[in-house]
Amino acid sequence: MNPTPSDEPIGYDPSAVEGKWQQSWQERDTNTTDVASAPDPYYALMMFPYPSAEGLHVGNLFAFVGNDIYGRFQRLQGHNVFEPFGYDAFGIHSENYALKVGKHPMDLIPQNIANFERQVQRSGLMVDWTKKLSTTDPDYYKWTQWVFLQLLKQGLAYKKQAAVNWCPSCKTVLANEQVVGGACERCDTPVEQRFLSQWFFRISDYAQRLLSNLDGLDWSETTKTAQRNWIGRSDGAEISFPVKKNASGDVIRVFTTRPDTVFGATYLVVAPEHPMVATLTGGVNKSAVDQYLARSAKQDVVTRKSSTEKTGVFTGAYATNPATGKDIPIWISDYVLMEYGTGAIMAVPGHDERDFEFAKVFGLPIVRVVCAEGEEPSAPLNEAFTENERGIIVNSGKFDGMTVATAKREIVRMLEEKGAGHPVVNYRLHDWCISRQRYWGPPIPIIYCDDHGAVPVPEKDLPVVLPYVEDFKPDDSGVSPLARHEDWYRVPCPECGKMARRETDVSDTFLDSAWYFLRYPSVGIDEVPFDSSITKKWLPVDSYIGGNEHAVLHLLYSRFVTMVLHDMGYIEFEEPFKRFRAHGLIIRNGAKMSKSRGNVVIPDHYIEKWGADAFRTYLMFLGPFEEGGDFRDASISGVKRFLDRLWASVHSAVDSQPMNSVGDPGVMRKLHQTIKKVGDDISRLSYNTAVAAMMEYMNALRRGERSPSRVEVEPLVQLVSPFAPHIAEELWEKLGHKESVFNAGWPVFDQALAADERIELPVQVNGKTRGKLSVPRDITQDDAVAAALAEESISKFLGGPAKKIIFVPGRLLNLVG
RNA sequence: GCGGAAGUGGCGGAAUUGGUAGACGCGCUGGACUUAGGAUCCAGUGGAGAAAUCCGUGGGGGUUCGAGUCCCCCCUUUCGCACCA
C-alpha cells in the first residue's frame, strides 16, 4: 500500500539542494563547454549586463533565466551549448556613480562585478565561467581599440569638426541616439550644441545593407521595425535651384520626397547653419539675418527641436524654380535642419504642413498643385493638402491630370533632362560619433604628430592602457580628464619618433558591446581578438535574447561592425545574430521598475526564502516572456507548491514502488501530450504555458489522492529541469542516475501514446454549444449526428431535421436548423 | 502627428490555422487531517437565476453555420520616432 499523500513529508529545503548542485556543477565542470572540439555547437547568448552597484535586479534575472532555459533546453536536445557571461562595465553610468560615492571606478567596478557574480551564480545559470569577460579589462579593450584601427584602415573612421550634442551636466558629448526629446537620456538635462572635433564611424555608408539584410533575419518583428524606422530610408529627388542674385552660377540643392509638387514651390528655406547663408545675404537684410543666426546659434537643441512655432528671416536673395521659371525668395529658418538632406528645402506650402504654417506667418504665396478627385484646381487651401493617395496634379503645365505617383516619376525625368535634378535616396541614419570626453572608457588609439597628423597606434603597441588617475572628474573644457595628464599623453610619434600627443578622448561604450559576442568563445586567447577556426565553429550566434531598449543602438552597431569585419575578410558571415528575441519588461505595480520610483525588486531575499528554482520558475510563469509582466510576490507560493509536489511525488515513487512499475494509460497519455507541449512551448519562448502544462500534468498525476508511479513522474523531472535545474538534479539522483540530468536528453515523445481514443465532441445547434458527446476519436459524421440527436438535451433545440451539418472531424459538430 | 503592441473573471494570464472562452496560478468557498492552522491534501469557483435558461473577451457595425480571433468605425492604455522635407 502506498502511504497517503497527507502523511508524506512535503516540501523541501531549497538552499541545501541548490548549494549542493552548484558546487557539484563547478567540481564536475558540468557547464564548461569544449569550444575547440564540441561536435554540435549551439551559441545561446544573452545581452551582457552593466554591473550596477545596486546589483542584480529581477529585470536582469528575468532575461538571464529566459535565456538559460532556452540554452538548457537546447542542451537536452543534444547540442553542445555555450552560454557565456560578461560585463559591460565601461561608460558614463559607472563613472557618474563612482563620482557620486567618491570612489575610483577601477576600485568600484571589481566590487560590483563580484557582487553581481555572486547573485548570478546563486540563480543557477548554466554559464561557462571559464569564458567570462569584462569590457574594462585591458585584455578585452586592447581588441576594442583594434576594432577601431580596422575601421580606420577601411576609411570608415574619420575625424570632423561637428555640431554635437553636449550635456552640460554629464559634461560630455552624446550620440544622437542618446538624446531623447532634446534632453540627455541619462540625466534629462537639456542638451546644448557645441562644435568639437570628433571621431565618427561611417555607418551611413552601410545604411542600405543594414536595411536590406533585415528581411532575411529571424528577429522579433518589432525590433526589425524599429531598425527600419531608425535607418529611415526615404526615396525622393535632389533638385537644383539657381540663385538669381549673383552671376557666379551658385545653385541651392534641395532634397524632396515630393518632386511632383515642384510647381507649387513658392520659396526656398535654408538652415541657419547652411554654408551659403553668408553669400546669399545682402545689404539691407544683413543685420536682420545676423540677428537671427545669432539667436538660433544660442538656442539650445531642446527648444529648437520641440517648438513648432515658425520663425525665420528673408535673405534678400531669389532663386529660380526650374519647373515654373519663376523667381522665388530664399528664406532662413531653423525648422530646416542642416543634418538632414542638403540642409535646404523647397517649400511647398500648399502640400506640406510645416511650409504652410511658415507661409501663413510670413505671408508667402500658397499655390495648389494637387487636388482631390472632383475638386476645383482653383479651390483655396485652408490647410496643407497632404493626401497623395488620391491626389491629381493640377496647375503644373503638361503634368496636369497625372496621379501623384506618375508625376513624381515624370517630373524628375523632366528635371533630369534640364540638368536640374535627379532621383536620390536619403537616410535618416547619421554617422556614429564615438568620441567621449570622459575618463571611463578605452582610450582611442591615435597619436597626433605635428608632422604626420593623426597616426594610428601600431597594433603591436595595444592596448593603450587607461591610466589610474585620481582626478577623473570631467570639466567644462570639452576635453577628457586624460588631457590633464601630460605624463600620459606625451608620447613619441610612431612614424618619426618626434614628441607627439595621444588622443585623450575615449570611445563610446557601444563600441565595447558591438563585438563582444565575437570574443566570448576566444576568451583566453591573447594573440588575436577571435580565433578564426573557433569563430567559424560558433558564430554567428544561434540565439540572442535581450531587451528591446537595445533594438536600435546596440544591435545596429553590432551588425555594422560585423559587416565591416566581414568585408575585411576576418569573418565569413555578415550578420552576427541569426535569431533574436526581445524579452519583455518586468513591471511592479503597473510601473516600470526604477530607482526613482523605489519599486526595484532585488531577487536575493526571494531566492533565500523560496529558492532559486521556485523563483526562476515563477519569473517565467508570471507572463509571456516576450511581453514581460507584473511582479507580485503573491503567486510565488503556487510555483513552490508545484515543486514541493514534484519532490513528494518522486520520493514516494522511488521509496515505495518497484522499479518496473507501470503507468496508468490515461496518465501516460497526458504525459506524452505534456512532453510535446512543453518542448514546443520552450522552442517558442512560451515559458508561462510550458509551466502551466507541467502543473496540469502534476494535477493529473495526483488527482484523487493517487500516488504516481516512477514511469509517470521520471520524465517530468527532465521536463522541469530547464526551469528548476537544482531540484531536477537532486531528484534525478534520487531516481538512481549517476550523470547530470542535463546529459540525459529530452524524454522521447510517443505520438501513439499521446493520442486520445475517445474525445469530448462539442455539439452546437445553430452555432451555440448545446452539449458534449464522449465519442471515439475517429467517429464519422453520420454516427456523430445520430449520437447528437439521441440526446434529448441537444435535439430539443433543433425544431425539425437539420438543414445543414458542419462536421469538423475530431473537433466539433454543428447542426443548423 | 507617424509607426508598433495591447484591451479577456476579483487578480496575473490561457485559447499555435475562425471551431468547447476563461487552461494554469493567485485569491475566494466548502470539506479532510489536526490541540491548532496563515501547513498539507481533496473538491468547487465568469456573471445573473431556484431551475430551465440567458448574458458574457473595451464600444458600435459587418462577414460566417460559427468570431476573443477576420473586415470597417470609435474609445482607452502603452512603447518607439518626431519640424527628417
Side-chain angles (χ1 to χ4, degrees), chain A residues 391-404:
Chain A
I392 301 297
I393 302 297
V394 294
N395 299 323
S396 299
K398 63 174 179 174
F399 302 99
D400 287 2
M402 289 183 182
T403 62
V404 165

Side-chain angles (χ1 to χ4, degrees), chain A residues 452-475:
Chain A
H452 295 90
V455 180
V457 172
E459 289 181 19
K460 65 174 173 50
D461 294 343
L462 297 179
V464 177
V465 175
L466 179 69
Y468 189 107
V469 302
E470 291 295 345
D471 60 329
F472 60 91
K473 192 175 175 169
D475 60 28

Side-chain angles (χ1 to χ4, degrees), chain A residues 50-92:
Chain A
Y50 157 70
S52 67
E54 303 80 42
L56 183 79
H57 66 78
V58 294
N60 300 121
L61 196 56
F62 178 74
F64 298 162
V65 169
N67 182 66
D68 191 52
I69 289 168
Y70 197 76
R72 286 183 184 275
F73 176 69
Q74 292 301 333
R75 175 165 174 169
L76 290 164
Q77 298 294 312
H79 300 293
N80 303 105
V81 175
F82 178 48
E83 191 179 316
F85 202 90
Y87 301 95
D88 188 18
F90 264 139
I92 292 179

Side-chain angles (χ1 to χ4, degrees), chain A residues 60 229 269 280 282 370 484 586 620 652 668 777:
Chain A
N60 300 121
N229 292 342
V269 188
L280 290 170
V370 186
R484 297 193 293 256
I586 296 294
M620 296 301 105
S652 81
M668 292 307 281
R777 177 165 45 99

Side-chain angles (χ1 to χ4, degrees), chain A residues 323-603:
Chain A
T324 61
K326 286 184 187 155
D327 291 340
I328 57 175
I330 305 172
W331 284 67
I332 298 170
S333 174
D334 64 5
Y335 85 91
V336 173
L337 308 174
M338 193 59 221
E339 71 250 30
Y340 186 77
T342 60
I345 61 154
M346 66 174 204
V348 185
H351 306 285
D352 181 282
E353 282 165 23
R354 298 151 302 179
D355 298 344
F356 184 88
E357 238 182 277
F358 190 82
K360 278 286 177 195
V361 173
F362 294 101
L364 293 158
I366 300 169
V367 175
R368 178 191 280 275
V369 288
V370 186
C371 265
E373 213 157 347
E375 211 175 359
E376 280 299 312
S378 57
L381 286 154
N382 298 318
E383 56 179 358
F385 178 79
T386 55
E387 215 178 309
N388 50 20
E389 284 295 305
R390 303 178 295 116
I392 301 297
I393 302 297
V394 294
N395 299 323
S396 299
K398 63 174 179 174
F399 302 99
D400 287 2
M402 289 183 182
T403 62
V404 165
T406 311
K408 274 186 183 175
R409 204 172 55 236
E410 292 304 317
I411 289 180
V412 172
R413 182 181 301 172
M414 176 269 286
L415 292 169
E416 229 168 347
E417 280 164 11
K418 286 187 176 184
H422 56 274
V424 158
V425 177
N426 230 310
Y427 298 91
R428 209 189 72 109
L429 181 68
H430 298 312
D431 279 347
W432 173 16
C433 172
I434 61 133
S435 296
R436 294 293 179 272
Q437 290 68 41
R438 295 290 293 231
Y439 168 69
W440 193 232
I444 294 172
I446 290 288
I447 294 168
Y448 299 101
C449 168
D450 288 343
D451 295 343
H452 295 90
V455 180
V457 172
E459 289 181 19
K460 65 174 173 50
D461 294 343
L462 297 179
V464 177
V465 175
L466 179 69
Y468 189 107
V469 302
E470 291 295 345
D471 60 329
F472 60 91
K473 192 175 175 169
D475 60 28
D476 206 37
S477 62
V479 292
S480 153
L482 291 175
R484 297 193 293 256
H485 291 266
E486 196 172 349
D487 52 334
W488 180 76
Y489 70 69
R490 297 286 285 172
V491 287
C493 168
E495 298 276 332
C496 63
K498 204 171 128 181
M499 264 329 239
R501 181 190 169 103
R502 282 195 192 282
E503 167 69 66
T504 52
D505 284 355
V506 299
S507 59
D508 183 9
T509 30
F510 277 111
L511 182 58
D512 304 330
S513 56
W515 75 280
Y516 77 113
F517 45 89
L518 290 168
R519 179 65 183 162
Y520 270 139
S522 298
V523 163
I525 296 172
D526 292 336
E527 300 73 37
V528 289
F530 40 87
D531 175 85
S532 65
S533 75
I534 288 178
T535 302
K536 191 172 172 181
K537 193 175 184 68
W538 289 94
L539 281 120
V541 171
D542 294 287
S543 162
Y544 193 25
I545 288 177
N548 228 356
E549 69 273 18
H550 292 119
V552 177
L553 311 179
H554 161 63
L555 288 172
L556 198 66
Y557 295 152
S558 299
R559 295 180 60 216
F560 166 62
V561 167
T562 303
M563 277 179 196
V564 174
L565 293 174
H566 165 265
D567 292 350
M568 295 183 78
Y570 288 115
I571 46 184
E572 293 179 18
F573 48 91
E574 60 175 55
E575 285 294 339
F577 314 120
K578 278 192 273 201
R579 171 185 154 112
F580 172 76
R581 292 291 181 276
H583 64 249
L585 226 57
I586 296 294
I587 57 172
R588 170 83 154 170
N589 304 327
K592 198 168 155 177
M593 276 186 208
S594 69
K595 268 173 287 168
S596 54
R597 284 195 188 82
N599 62 351
V600 175
V601 179
I602 302 296

